Amino acid sequence: MGKIYQFIDQRLDLTPLLRKIADHPVPDHANPLKTRSAFIYCFGGISFLVILMQILTGAFLMLYYVPSPDHAYASVSYIKNEVAFGGFVSNLHRVGASAAVLMVFLHMLRVFFTKSYKNPRELNWVAGVFLLFIVMGLGFTGYLLPWDQKAYWATTVGLNILEGVPLAGGFLADALRGGSEVGMLTLTRFFVIHVMFLPGLLILFLAAHFFMVRRQGISHPL
């Protein structure tokens, strides 16, 4: 591995870049080795770890999942019962969806109560709000994909709630459903949104979030 790294480093000069990324000072109030309350500053890192786990487990599930009303439920059942470690990965992805929402929410609570959203970090707070909505959107769109009774009716209720939003609610609900009722187009659209549109937005806002954290540093409690 060392020789492979040397070969790549001689051609791309990676060492200065890696040192710049790794040699980043952590303030004492966010260092668990120096402050007992520093664990609350770990929520952001845990959120990112859970999101990475969701991406990896989701990519595995996509190898076997079929996004059609005729085969969605059967493909999920096949993953859980026939594929090696399929049930474990499927449950990990399901639990990880709730964990991602919880950890992002806790991270934002920490930012709010330590007033870390104030000048000059207002844009980073806005990016965090969008990330929370994106993670919740991923959870909602992924809930329908098993195509069982619970998923069907939960999605129906969710879209009916969305339909009650003034002005744009009816249009958004019809666009997500693909018609007046939850059906084949709904499943297809939720699948595409779940694996394409929302992950793309997630990566974009994560990159912006990390860029601003590196430029502005970890804030001190005010």
Side-chain angles (χ1 to χ4, degrees):
M1 293 299 295
K3 290 181 179 179
I4 293 174
Y5 176 78
Q6 290 178 2
F7 176 85
I8 297 174
D9 188 42
Q10 289 171 0
R11 287 152 182 81
L12 300 179
D13 196 24
L14 295 178
T15 298
L17 176 63
L18 294 177
R19 284 179 178 172
K20 186 177 181 180
I21 294 174
D23 295 342
H24 186 65
V26 177
D28 290 345
H29 69 275
N31 189 339
L33 299 177
K34 297 182 179 180
T35 308
R36 289 184 178 180
S37 61
F39 75 93
I40 65 174
Y41 287 86
C42 297
F43 292 152
I46 296 173
S47 300
F48 181 60
L49 182 64
V50 174
I51 288 171
L52 285 180
M53 182 187 72
Q54 289 299 96
I55 292 173
L56 292 174
T57 54
F60 171 82
L61 296 174
M62 284 177 62
L63 295 174
Y64 297 94
Y65 179 74
V66 181
S68 74
D70 295 334
H71 301 94
Y73 180 80
S75 64
V76 172
S77 179
Y78 177 77
I79 292 171
K80 291 182 176 181
N81 300 315
E82 301 296 334
V83 178
F85 302 105
F88 172 75
V89 174
S90 178
N91 287 328
L92 196 62
H93 192 74
R94 178 177 57 83
V95 174
S98 300
V101 175
L102 174 63
M103 294 313 305
V104 172
F105 184 71
L106 289 175
H107 179 51
M108 295 194 70
L109 280 180
R110 194 280 301 169
V111 172
F112 179 78
F113 283 112
T114 57
K115 296 181 173 61
S116 301
Y117 57 86
K118 291 191 173 183
N119 184 21
R121 298 179 174 84
E122 300 94 334
L123 290 177
N124 213 357
W125 171 259
V126 173
V129 172
F130 275 104
L131 284 169
L132 176 62
F133 285 131
I134 291 170
V135 170
M136 292 176 66
L138 284 165
F140 179 64
T141 54
Y143 202 85
L144 178 65
L145 301 187
W147 199 245
D148 54 14
Q149 287 290 324
K150 184 167 69 171
Y152 179 89
W153 292 111
T155 302
T156 300
V157 171
L159 291 175
N160 288 339
I161 294 173
L162 178 61
E163 200 169 23
V165 175
L167 300 179
F171 170 78
L172 291 175
D174 288 340
L176 289 173
R177 270 194 303 255
S180 59
E181 296 181 357
V182 175
M184 180 183 67
L185 285 177
T186 314
L187 180 61
T188 303
R189 293 184 183 193
F190 271 50
F191 176 75
V192 174
I193 293 171
H194 187 74
V195 303
M196 293 291 292
F197 291 111
L198 289 180
L201 290 174
L202 180 70
I203 293 172
L204 178 65
F205 279 98
L206 277 176
H209 180 66
F210 291 144
F211 173 77
M212 287 185 278
V213 168
R214 294 305 298 266
R215 288 297 294 267
Q216 298 163 350
I218 299 175
S219 66
H220 291 263
L222 301 180

